[in-house]
Amino acid sequence: MVSEKRLNIGVLNVQGAVSEHAEFVRSLGDNVVLVKHPEDLDQIDGLIIPGGESTTIGKLMDKYQLSETVREKANKGFPLFGTCAGLILLADEIEGNEKAHLQLMNITVNRNSFGRQRESFETLLAVNGVAEDFPAVFIRAPHIVEFAADVNVLSEYEGRVVAAQQGNLLVTAFHPELTEDMRIHRHFRQIVDNYKKAQQ
Ligand code: GLN
């Protein structure tokens, strides 16, 4: 599908699965901006925070002075999509005395919640309003252990919340960018499109 009006969607480019997300954005007909510095954020209508290692990504976001600007923008409705480590970065709290990062979404997360034996696996999941059969790839994935009343749970796996949305903030514990299924990215695109229209 090539959209009528291209959106400018950023992919945080400090560590992790950057190129796969960028490819999906392009495939949906939009422009990709690889975001490393605060001024890159001026050019985009929404930002994807990829999977990788959340502690590293958080440190690099601070180093490049991105954290504060991303937080300010997101508090005013700017859309963010966090996958895996990206989910951890958005959370208000991380279980186990670990300092949280952006603290934007009213969720508490457990890092690495699927154990060593199951470090990575793939399964089909229903994602509310998006897909009945989404191929979810989990890699040392977190899950959401607590969430505020206005957090919309989109998907659960074995009783654990693994995808959710709170207004402009979308998160998945799994990696849609490592499949060929663009339905969740298309859902994010819709959030970005609505945000952009509301700005005009
Ligand atoms: N477990 C990693 C972390 O805590 C996330 C893994 C991933 O993004 N694939 O950052």
XYZ file of all heavy atoms in Angstrom, residues 102-154:
418
model
N 12.365 6.725 30.235
C 11.579 7.891 29.814
C 10.352 8.134 30.708
O 9.844 9.255 30.764
C 11.146 7.732 28.351
C 12.306 7.677 27.347
C 11.788 7.288 25.967
C 13.039 9.010 27.267
N 9.870 7.102 31.337
C 8.725 7.210 32.259
C 7.541 7.932 31.631
O 7.028 8.904 32.181
C 9.165 7.894 33.554
C 10.186 7.051 34.295
C 10.665 7.723 35.562
O 11.463 8.636 35.521
N 10.158 7.269 36.678
N 7.129 7.448 30.493
C 6.016 8.078 29.769
C 4.729 7.288 29.870
O 3.646 7.855 29.866
C 6.396 8.217 28.290
C 7.330 9.378 27.973
C 7.945 9.194 26.596
C 6.581 10.686 28.058
N 4.835 5.971 29.910
C 3.638 5.142 29.852
C 3.392 4.548 31.236
O 4.342 4.119 31.903
C 3.870 4.038 28.813
C 2.636 3.287 28.421
S 2.984 2.354 26.910
C 1.457 1.449 26.773
N 2.118 4.530 31.650
C 1.790 4.101 33.013
C 1.752 2.584 33.107
O 0.705 1.968 33.319
C 0.460 4.700 33.470
C 0.466 6.215 33.395
O -0.508 6.827 33.011
N 1.596 6.836 33.731
N 2.928 1.991 32.924
C 3.077 0.532 33.016
C 4.320 0.205 33.858
O 5.256 1.002 33.934
C 3.237 -0.135 31.619
C 4.431 0.467 30.836
C 1.957 -0.009 30.800
C 4.736 -0.228 29.500
N 4.259 -0.962 34.491
C 5.444 -1.512 35.157
C 5.858 -2.741 34.360
O 4.997 -3.544 33.977
C 5.103 -1.932 36.600
O 4.652 -0.770 37.307
C 6.321 -2.512 37.316
N 7.152 -2.864 34.086
C 7.597 -3.988 33.263
C 8.574 -4.891 34.008
O 9.284 -4.466 34.926
C 8.267 -3.532 31.940
C 7.316 -2.685 31.127
C 9.562 -2.787 32.181
N 8.562 -6.130 33.574
C 9.527 -7.106 34.032
C 10.425 -7.379 32.832
O 9.945 -7.744 31.761
C 8.759 -8.363 34.460
C 9.666 -9.471 34.914
O 10.526 -9.911 34.165
N 9.451 -9.953 36.112
N 11.715 -7.130 32.968
C 12.656 -7.389 31.857
C 12.914 -8.888 31.781
O 12.842 -9.590 32.770
C 13.996 -6.704 32.125
C 13.969 -5.215 31.935
C 15.324 -4.628 32.261
N 16.312 -4.908 31.229
C 17.582 -4.545 31.310
N 18.022 -3.904 32.372
N 18.425 -4.830 30.334
N 13.261 -9.365 30.635
C 13.685 -10.764 30.480
C 12.755 -11.733 31.208
O 13.191 -12.542 32.017
C 15.105 -10.929 31.012
C 16.053 -9.986 30.305
O 15.996 -9.853 29.085
N 16.909 -9.328 31.053
N 11.478 -11.639 30.911
C 10.523 -12.401 31.711
C 10.243 -13.800 31.189
O 9.522 -14.542 31.823
C 9.225 -11.624 31.829
O 8.831 -11.179 30.573
N 10.801 -14.172 30.071
C 10.475 -15.494 29.546
C 11.558 -16.549 29.781
O 11.478 -17.644 29.261
C 10.067 -15.395 28.068
C 8.752 -14.697 27.902
C 8.698 -13.352 27.589
C 7.559 -15.363 28.114
C 7.483 -12.690 27.465
C 6.330 -14.722 27.997
C 6.298 -13.380 27.672
N 12.556 -16.194 30.556
C 13.505 -17.211 31.028
C 14.540 -17.637 30.003
O 14.391 -17.439 28.813
N 15.571 -18.245 30.499
C 16.704 -18.620 29.664
C 16.374 -19.679 28.618
O 16.798 -19.579 27.475
C 17.835 -19.178 30.531
C 18.767 -18.119 31.003
C 19.818 -18.682 31.918
N 20.606 -17.593 32.472
C 21.628 -17.047 31.833
N 22.018 -17.498 30.674
N 22.288 -16.052 32.381
N 15.614 -20.702 29.055
C 15.316 -21.794 28.122
C 14.556 -21.294 26.907
O 14.579 -21.902 25.857
C 14.468 -22.903 28.707
C 14.463 -23.262 30.125
C 13.954 -22.257 31.103
O 14.252 -21.059 31.057
N 13.205 -22.748 32.052
N 13.812 -20.209 27.123
C 12.961 -19.730 26.043
C 13.430 -18.337 25.633
O 12.621 -17.431 25.476
C 11.510 -19.709 26.495
C 11.031 -21.048 26.959
C 9.537 -21.104 26.966
N 9.006 -21.073 25.599
C 7.724 -20.867 25.313
N 6.873 -20.679 26.267
N 7.317 -20.870 24.065
N 14.724 -18.170 25.465
C 15.262 -16.846 25.156
C 14.601 -16.251 23.936
O 14.314 -15.080 23.885
C 16.760 -16.941 24.922
C 17.529 -17.042 26.213
C 18.781 -16.230 26.189
O 19.416 -16.183 25.122
O 19.117 -15.650 27.223
N 14.375 -17.118 22.908
C 13.652 -16.599 21.764
C 12.697 -17.659 21.235
O 12.997 -18.855 21.271
C 14.616 -16.100 20.698
O 15.257 -17.167 20.106
N 11.551 -17.207 20.798
C 10.549 -18.105 20.246
C 9.548 -17.302 19.433
O 9.508 -16.072 19.529
C 9.817 -18.889 21.353
C 9.103 -18.032 22.364
C 7.744 -17.760 22.239
C 9.790 -17.492 23.444
C 7.081 -16.965 23.180
C 9.132 -16.695 24.384
C 7.789 -16.440 24.246
N 8.788 -18.025 18.617
C 7.788 -17.360 17.794
C 6.436 -18.031 18.018
O 6.371 -19.255 18.155
C 8.184 -17.463 16.321
C 7.216 -16.739 15.419
C 7.699 -16.627 13.977
O 8.903 -16.762 13.721
O 6.826 -16.409 13.117
N 5.383 -17.228 18.061
C 4.044 -17.781 18.259
C 3.020 -16.866 17.598
O 3.308 -15.687 17.379
C 3.766 -17.944 19.776
O 2.549 -18.627 19.951
C 3.705 -16.616 20.505
N 1.855 -17.421 17.286
C 0.807 -16.588 16.693
C -0.044 -15.996 17.809
O -0.509 -16.720 18.693
C -0.083 -17.424 15.769
C 0.531 -17.854 14.445
C -0.456 -18.714 13.667
C 0.940 -16.651 13.589
N -0.254 -14.703 17.764
C -1.021 -14.021 18.814
C -2.123 -13.165 18.222
O -1.948 -12.550 17.156
C -0.107 -13.071 19.601
C 0.938 -13.643 20.533
C 1.641 -12.492 21.243
C 0.298 -14.583 21.538
N -3.233 -13.078 18.949
C -4.268 -12.111 18.590
C -3.840 -10.754 19.140
O -3.410 -10.649 20.292
C -5.593 -12.528 19.200
N -3.936 -9.740 18.301
C -3.641 -8.369 18.726
C -4.910 -7.560 18.466
O -5.295 -7.364 17.311
C -2.437 -7.792 17.937
C -2.135 -6.371 18.396
C -1.199 -8.681 18.084
N -5.554 -7.132 19.535
C -6.882 -6.484 19.438
C -6.945 -5.385 18.406
O -6.143 -4.452 18.439
C -7.255 -5.837 20.784
C -7.840 -6.849 21.714
O -8.159 -7.965 21.309
N -7.971 -6.455 22.978
N -7.887 -5.480 17.510
C -8.100 -4.434 16.516
C -7.056 -4.423 15.420
O -7.104 -3.577 14.521
N -6.088 -5.327 15.471
C -4.986 -5.301 14.508
C -4.883 -6.623 13.735
O -4.758 -6.629 12.504
C -3.636 -5.015 15.214
C -2.472 -5.054 14.230
C -3.675 -3.669 15.926
N -4.927 -7.746 14.445
C -4.721 -9.037 13.781
C -5.202 -10.162 14.694
O -5.100 -10.068 15.914
C -3.240 -9.238 13.475
N -5.712 -11.217 14.090
C -6.111 -12.401 14.860
C -4.935 -13.359 15.037
O -4.948 -14.238 15.885
C -7.226 -13.155 14.111
C -8.579 -12.489 14.204
C -9.000 -12.247 15.643
O -8.905 -13.194 16.451
O -9.396 -11.109 15.952
N -3.956 -13.241 14.169
C -2.923 -14.266 14.024
C -1.578 -13.619 13.721
O -0.983 -13.858 12.682
C -3.310 -15.191 12.858
C -3.605 -14.390 11.584
O -3.612 -13.136 11.644
O -3.798 -15.010 10.530
N -1.132 -12.770 14.626
C 0.119 -12.054 14.344
C 1.324 -12.919 14.706
O 1.395 -13.464 15.804
C 0.170 -10.727 15.120
C 1.220 -9.822 14.564
C 0.928 -8.968 13.521
C 2.521 -9.876 15.042
C 1.912 -8.167 12.956
C 3.514 -9.084 14.489
C 3.207 -8.233 13.448
N 2.299 -13.068 13.773
C 3.488 -13.858 14.088
C 4.416 -13.089 15.023
O 5.160 -12.206 14.595
C 4.140 -14.080 12.722
C 3.673 -12.933 11.889
C 2.335 -12.505 12.418
N 4.348 -13.408 16.312
C 5.096 -12.632 17.308
C 6.433 -13.303 17.600
O 6.477 -14.459 18.017
C 4.272 -12.505 18.577
N 7.508 -12.559 17.378
C 8.860 -13.051 17.637
C 9.353 -12.441 18.949
O 9.455 -11.218 19.072
C 9.812 -12.653 16.486
C 11.242 -13.084 16.786
C 9.335 -13.233 15.164
N 9.643 -13.307 19.914
C 10.101 -12.844 21.230
C 11.601 -13.129 21.364
O 12.037 -14.256 21.121
C 9.369 -13.600 22.341
C 7.920 -13.235 22.492
C 6.950 -13.810 21.674
C 7.519 -12.316 23.455
C 5.605 -13.478 21.828
C 6.175 -11.982 23.607
C 5.221 -12.560 22.793
N 12.358 -12.120 21.775
C 13.795 -12.312 22.014
C 14.139 -11.685 23.365
O 14.112 -10.456 23.505
C 14.650 -11.658 20.896
C 14.227 -12.190 19.520
C 16.145 -11.912 21.141
C 14.834 -11.424 18.354
N 14.424 -12.521 24.344
C 14.678 -12.025 25.703
C 13.692 -10.909 26.065
O 14.072 -9.819 26.475
C 16.118 -11.524 25.831
C 17.154 -12.632 25.747
C 18.567 -12.146 26.028
N 19.001 -11.130 25.081
C 19.388 -11.398 23.845
N 19.420 -12.637 23.391
N 19.768 -10.437 23.044
N 12.428 -11.248 25.890
C 11.386 -10.217 25.920
C 10.932 -9.862 27.333
O 10.911 -10.715 28.217
C 10.193 -10.692 25.110
N 10.537 -8.608 27.504
C 9.901 -8.189 28.753
C 8.402 -8.499 28.700
O 7.889 -8.932 27.667
C 10.105 -6.678 28.733
C 10.068 -6.322 27.280
C 10.643 -7.503 26.540
N 7.686 -8.292 29.807
C 6.228 -8.221 29.734
C 5.743 -7.174 30.722
O 6.499 -6.731 31.601
C 5.576 -9.599 29.934
C 5.409 -10.033 31.349
N 6.449 -10.509 32.109
C 4.312 -10.052 32.152
C 5.994 -10.822 33.319
N 4.709 -10.561 33.370
N 4.492 -6.781 30.539
C 3.915 -5.718 31.362
C 3.233 -6.370 32.558
O 2.362 -7.221 32.384
C 2.907 -4.898 30.527
C 3.653 -4.194 29.379
C 2.160 -3.894 31.401
C 2.749 -3.546 28.345
N 3.654 -6.003 33.768
C 3.098 -6.646 34.958
C 1.965 -5.835 35.595
O 1.088 -6.395 36.232
C 4.185 -6.962 36.018
C 5.095 -8.062 35.535
C 4.993 -5.738 36.372
N 2.013 -4.519 35.409
C 0.944 -3.666 35.948
C 0.708 -2.532 34.974
O 1.644 -2.084 34.302
C 1.390 -3.035 37.279
C 1.132 -3.891 38.485
C 1.624 -3.204 39.739
O 1.318 -2.014 39.943
O 2.337 -3.867 40.495
N -0.540 -2.041 34.962
C -0.833 -0.951 34.041
C -1.995 -0.125 34.566
O -2.858 -0.630 35.294
C -1.135 -1.494 32.634
C -2.147 -2.599 32.604
C -3.493 -2.316 32.462
C -1.747 -3.931 32.727
C -4.428 -3.333 32.446
C -2.688 -4.957 32.716
C -4.034 -4.655 32.580
N -2.041 1.149 34.181
C -3.112 2.051 34.622
C -4.404 1.718 33.886
O -4.390 1.040 32.851
C -2.700 3.494 34.346
N -5.519 2.250 34.421
C -6.843 1.922 33.874
C -6.989 2.336 32.411
O -7.717 1.689 31.658
C -7.912 2.600 34.715
N -6.316 3.394 31.997
C -6.491 3.839 30.605
C -5.473 3.220 29.641
O -5.354 3.645 28.505
C -6.455 5.368 30.515
C -5.123 5.952 30.941
O -4.362 5.270 31.665
O -4.830 7.090 30.551
N -4.757 2.221 30.107
C -3.870 1.471 29.202
C -4.705 0.363 28.568
O -5.361 -0.413 29.258
C -2.664 0.873 29.959
C -1.871 -0.074 29.060
C -1.763 1.985 30.486
N -4.695 0.331 27.252
C -5.482 -0.628 26.504
C -4.611 -1.859 26.200
O -3.617 -1.737 25.482
C -5.929 0.091 25.223
C -6.915 -0.690 24.421
O -7.425 -1.727 24.865
N -7.182 -0.207 23.228
N -4.965 -2.984 26.792
C -4.182 -4.205 26.538
C -4.526 -4.727 25.148
O -5.691 -4.973 24.833
C -4.487 -5.276 27.612
C -3.861 -6.611 27.231
C -3.979 -4.819 28.968
N -3.522 -4.873 24.302
C -3.769 -5.328 22.928
C -3.507 -6.819 22.763
O -4.060 -7.450 21.865
C -2.888 -4.556 21.932
C -3.083 -3.049 21.852
C -2.186 -2.467 20.767
C -4.533 -2.705 21.559
